[in-house]
Amino acid sequence: MDFSALFSQLVVLYAKLTKQQKMIIAAAIIGIVAFLIFLVVYTSKSTKDSKYEVLFDKLSSSDAAKVIEQLEKENIPYKLEDKNVIKVPKGVVYKQRISIASMGIPKDNGVGFELFNEQEFGATSFDQNVKYMRALEGELSRTIEALAPIESAAVSLALPKDSLFIEKQIDPTASVMVSIVEDRRLSPKQIRGIKNLVASAVPKLTSDNVMLVDSDGETLGDEDEMAQMSELSQVQQKFKNKEEKKKQKKIIEVISPFVGGEQKVRAQVTIEFDFSIKNSTSETFDPENVVRSEQVSEESREGSTPPEVGGVPGTVSNIGPVEGLKSNNVTEKYSKNTGTTNYEVGKTVSTTKSQFARIKRITAAVIVDGRYKNKFDEEGKETDEKEYEPLSQTDLEALSSLVSRSIGIDENRGDVITVQNLQFKRTKGIVKVDEISKFMEFSQTYLAPFSGLFKYLFVLLLLLILYKKVISPFAERMLEITKEEEELDKPNLDIEDDEEEDLVEKVQAMRKKVEDQLGVGENFNEDELKYDVLLEKVKIMAEDEPEQIAALLQTLLTEEQTLADMKEPSRG
């Protein structure tokens, strides 16, 4: 390709353009070049940024300075972003992370039970207690920092000495200072969880003695009781809404087959719950006595030894037996029976705990659409036009009975149900929410992974549209103008002398041939020849189309007569 000739042609073409055309071409070229530069810079920037990964984040200023110093020593490029986030090229992330960590950077300010890995010779009990407190505070801080909303945490414990006297015993206390991630907050449940976590790790510490504050010095959990009430209210409301929706869905599922689909049924259910907690204990006594224990004792004895005869000490007793005493008779048999029976009154103790929510009343309102049938014209033929027909009272009573049984309506409890028949308003062209959600799900599943490719396809499509709608029509227009100008300003051909002589001879030969065919001699008159040719053509046309020639002659005669009539008054 001859680039010099192409460039010269472009220069000539540009010189022939108007001022407006030159401005349009210059603006188009500048716009295209600017767009291409933006695309190249944006793509290179995103590619360059994607090659960097996070080396360390959430560093203190001193640790960040040490990490940067180490990276500069090894001539490794890095990026320092907000909150001391350091990024390095993707290929050296893990190597530098291990290398810098082996140097003790970043330094972890928190300490735990690793303090007891090395035993110090000669350490006193006071030193051990201080170490234990530091280790416990460090472990609690690490555990709290593991929570999602917490950026950093510091725990301080106050553990008093044990006393032999209960009255002089002081309860331990704790304070926790947390720094929360930006745009995050701790819920009341999380606050209680942190307090219970600290209280469970320290002996004799209760959650009431744990003080929790944020980095702004505001106490967290002061309105704990109100927060609990609020959470309980939210749970109750959520439970109520869930139960109402379940019953609404059940009503629609029961009625929709009979009325022609779910879109022809609307239901609203309101349930009044009793969320109070009641516990009752009852004792029932059995009228029948129950033997608890029984004890029987039996004693028997037969025969006895004669008792010794004696009397009042003195002379008479020493003389001999006293008359009137029977000392040699045998005694009677001895028998003894003893029985003890203990009775217990039968008793039944029962404890009843009420359920979480008791239904006090159910109110249900159901609206159903009627039937639609085709109208008939005057001749009795069925048309496409629909006519609304309401449901009968029998149908409404049947539907009301179905709804009552499906959701458990109890009239003795005061439940109320209403089933009404109304004509629904028909609307067309409304896109259902389910279709929109399905389209969004499809987009996230199948189109999102190719978002990067779509970006380049969009750029190519934009360039194609620009070429088809702007550049190509403009270029075609310019080429047409240039072609017309070339035809108007066609340069004379430079013919050499030999070629000119040959051309003259050829023209003369052709002229002589035509004259011979026409039968003319040297006295050739071109005007007469043209007249003869035209006259011959008119004769042929008159033979082929006589009607059109007659109409033409009539028009000419009429116009001539009109002109003559116009000239005569002027003469007079």
Side-chain angles (χ1 to χ4, degrees):
M1 181 181 290
D2 190 358
F3 290 100
S4 60
L6 178 62
F7 181 75
S8 61
Q9 292 178 3
L10 291 176
V11 171
V12 173
L13 177 63
Y14 183 76
K16 294 180 180 180
L17 297 177
T18 62
K19 184 178 181 181
Q20 184 178 4
Q21 293 172 348
K22 292 179 180 179
M23 292 177 62
I24 293 174
I25 293 177
I29 294 174
I30 292 173
I32 294 173
V33 172
F35 179 77
L36 294 176
I37 292 174
F38 168 77
L39 182 62
V40 172
V41 173
Y42 174 76
T43 306
S44 62
K45 183 178 179 181
S46 59
T47 305
K48 186 177 180 181
D49 292 339
S50 62
K51 294 181 179 179
Y52 278 79
E53 288 189 358
V54 177
L55 178 64
F56 292 107
D57 59 351
K58 298 180 181 179
L59 293 175
S60 62
S61 299
S62 58
D63 290 339
K66 293 178 181 179
V67 172
I68 291 174
E69 183 180 358
Q70 181 64 25
L71 294 175
E72 290 178 349
K73 285 182 179 179
E74 299 185 8
N75 295 325
I76 296 176
Y78 64 89
K79 288 184 178 181
L80 182 62
E81 298 182 355
D82 294 340
K83 297 182 179 179
N84 294 334
V85 177
I86 300 176
K87 290 184 177 181
V88 295
K90 184 177 180 180
V92 297
V93 170
Y94 299 103
K95 180 180 178 181
Q96 290 300 317
R97 191 175 294 170
I98 295 172
S99 176
I100 295 175
S102 64
M103 302 171 61
I105 304 173
K107 184 178 180 181
D108 191 0
N109 294 327
V111 293
F113 283 104
E114 63 271 10
L115 286 173
F116 294 95
N117 292 340
E118 297 180 1
Q119 297 293 333
E120 296 180 2
F121 180 76
T124 62
S125 60
F126 176 78
D127 296 335
Q128 295 296 324
N129 291 333
V130 172
K131 277 187 177 183
Y132 173 76
M133 185 177 295
R134 289 183 59 196
L136 186 59
E137 292 174 350
E139 292 294 338
L140 288 173
S141 300
R142 290 175 179 175
T143 305
I144 296 173
E145 288 176 355
L147 300 177
I150 306 299
E151 184 174 359
S152 61
V155 180
S156 298
L157 301 176
L159 306 179
K161 294 181 180 180
D162 294 334
S163 176
L164 298 176
F165 303 98
I166 297 177
E167 296 179 353
K168 295 183 179 180
Q169 183 69 37
I170 301 175
D171 295 332
T173 58
S175 61
V176 182
M177 197 280 291
V178 294
S179 178
I180 305 174
V181 178
E182 189 177 357
D183 298 333
R184 299 289 296 273
R185 58 181 296 273
L186 290 176
S187 63
K189 187 182 296 185
Q190 291 172 327
I191 293 174
R192 290 196 302 273
I194 294 174
K195 289 185 176 182
N196 293 331
L197 173 67
V198 177
S200 301
V202 180
K204 299 180 181 180
L205 179 61
T206 61
S207 59
D208 296 335
N209 291 331
V210 178
M211 181 64 66
L212 183 64
V213 296
D214 59 7
S215 57
D216 296 330
E218 297 181 0
T219 305
L220 304 177
D222 284 344
E223 300 177 356
D224 194 51
E225 184 176 356
M226 293 297 296
Q228 291 182 12
M229 293 296 295
S230 177
E231 287 186 0
L232 180 61
S233 177
Q234 292 178 2
V235 171
Q236 293 175 355
Q237 187 63 33
K238 187 181 295 184
F239 177 80
K240 181 176 181 295
N241 295 337
K242 183 180 178 181
E243 292 297 320
E244 290 176 350
K245 289 181 179 179
K246 285 171 60 178
K247 294 190 179 298
Q248 291 173 13
K249 184 178 180 181
K250 188 176 292 185
I251 291 173
I252 295 174
E253 289 177 351
V254 171
I255 295 181
S256 59
F258 299 96
V259 296
E262 296 182 356
Q263 70 276 6
K264 302 183 70 175
V265 184
R266 294 294 181 270
Q268 185 67 39
V269 179
T270 303
I271 306 176
E272 296 180 11
F273 287 99
D274 183 9
F275 292 101
S276 60
I277 299 175
K278 297 179 181 180
N279 298 328
S280 60
T281 303
S282 62
E283 295 183 1
T284 304
F285 294 93
D286 190 358
E288 298 294 335
N289 294 332
V290 180
V291 178
R292 180 181 180 185
S293 62
E294 185 176 2
Q295 184 178 2
V296 178
S297 176
E298 184 177 353
E299 184 176 354
S300 177
R301 186 173 61 193
E302 295 181 358
S304 62
T305 57
E308 294 180 358
V309 179
V312 179
T315 303
V316 181
S317 300
N318 294 330
I319 291 177
V322 180
E323 295 180 1
L325 297 175
K326 298 179 180 181
S327 58
N328 295 326
N329 293 335
V330 180
T331 61
E332 298 178 352
K333 293 182 179 180
Y334 174 78
S335 179
K336 181 181 180 182
N337 292 325
T338 303
T340 303
T341 302
N342 296 325
Y343 292 93
E344 184 73 22
V345 178
K347 181 177 66 172
T348 302
V349 180
S350 61
T351 302
T352 304
K353 185 176 181 180
S354 62
Q355 60 183 358
F356 170 71
R358 296 181 301 277
I359 298 176
K360 296 172 60 178
R361 187 185 181 193
I362 298 177
T363 304
V366 183
I367 302 175
V368 294
D369 197 5
R371 299 184 181 93
Y372 294 87
K373 62 180 182 179
N374 294 330
K375 288 184 177 181
F376 293 90
D377 56 11
E378 297 177 354
E379 298 177 358
K381 295 182 180 180
E382 187 176 355
T383 61
D384 295 335
E385 188 178 356
K386 299 292 183 179
E387 181 181 8
Y388 175 74
E389 180 182 359
L391 300 178
S392 63
Q393 187 64 30
T394 305
D395 294 337
L396 293 177
E397 291 177 357
L399 293 176
S400 178
S401 177
L402 285 175
V403 173
S404 300
R405 294 178 181 275
S406 64
I407 62 176
I409 295 295
D410 187 0
E411 295 181 356
N412 297 326
R413 190 173 52 192
D415 298 348
V416 179
I417 181 173
T418 303
V419 179
Q420 294 290 338
N421 178 212
L422 298 174
Q423 183 179 4
F424 288 9
K425 184 178 181 182
R426 301 290 174 177
T427 56
K428 297 181 180 180
I430 299 177
V431 181
K432 295 183 179 179
V433 179
D434 295 339
E435 296 178 358
I436 297 176
S437 61
K438 290 180 180 179
F439 176 75
M440 295 300 295
E441 184 179 356
F442 175 80
S443 300
Q444 292 293 331
T445 305
Y446 298 102
L447 300 181
F450 302 98
S451 59
L453 179 61
F454 290 154
K455 179 177 65 176
Y456 296 103
L457 291 177
F458 175 75
V459 173
L460 292 176
L461 181 62
L462 186 62
L463 291 175
L464 181 62
I465 294 174
L466 182 64
Y467 174 77
K468 290 290 186 181
K469 298 297 183 181
V470 180
I471 299 176
S472 181
F474 183 77
E476 292 178 358
R477 179 61 179 169
M478 292 297 101
L479 291 175
E480 290 177 359
I481 296 173
T482 306
K483 187 176 181 180
E484 293 176 357
E485 292 178 352
E486 288 178 353
E487 291 178 355
L488 292 175
D489 300 334
K490 186 175 181 180
N492 296 324
L493 297 176
D494 296 334
I495 303 175
E496 297 181 357
D497 296 338
D498 298 337
E499 294 179 356
E500 184 177 1
E501 293 178 358
D502 294 338
L503 183 60
V504 171
E505 292 178 357
K506 289 181 180 180
V507 172
Q508 291 178 354
M510 291 174 64
R511 182 182 180 86
K512 185 177 182 182
K513 184 178 180 180
V514 172
E515 291 177 353
D516 294 339
Q517 290 178 355
L518 293 176
V520 296
E522 297 180 354
N523 299 324
F524 176 71
N525 191 349
E526 293 182 0
D527 294 333
E528 293 180 357
L529 181 60
K530 291 179 180 179
Y531 176 77
D532 294 338
V533 172
L534 290 175
L535 183 60
E536 186 67 24
K537 286 185 178 180
V538 171
K539 290 180 181 180
I540 295 172
M541 290 176 64
E543 292 176 359
D544 295 339
E545 298 176 355
E547 295 179 357
Q548 294 183 2
I549 297 298
L552 179 61
L553 293 175
Q554 183 66 30
T555 303
L556 293 174
L557 293 173
T558 303
E559 290 180 356
E560 187 176 356
Q561 184 64 31
T562 303
L563 293 174
D565 294 339
M566 291 175 64
K567 291 180 179 180
E568 287 179 359
S570 62
R571 292 177 181 176

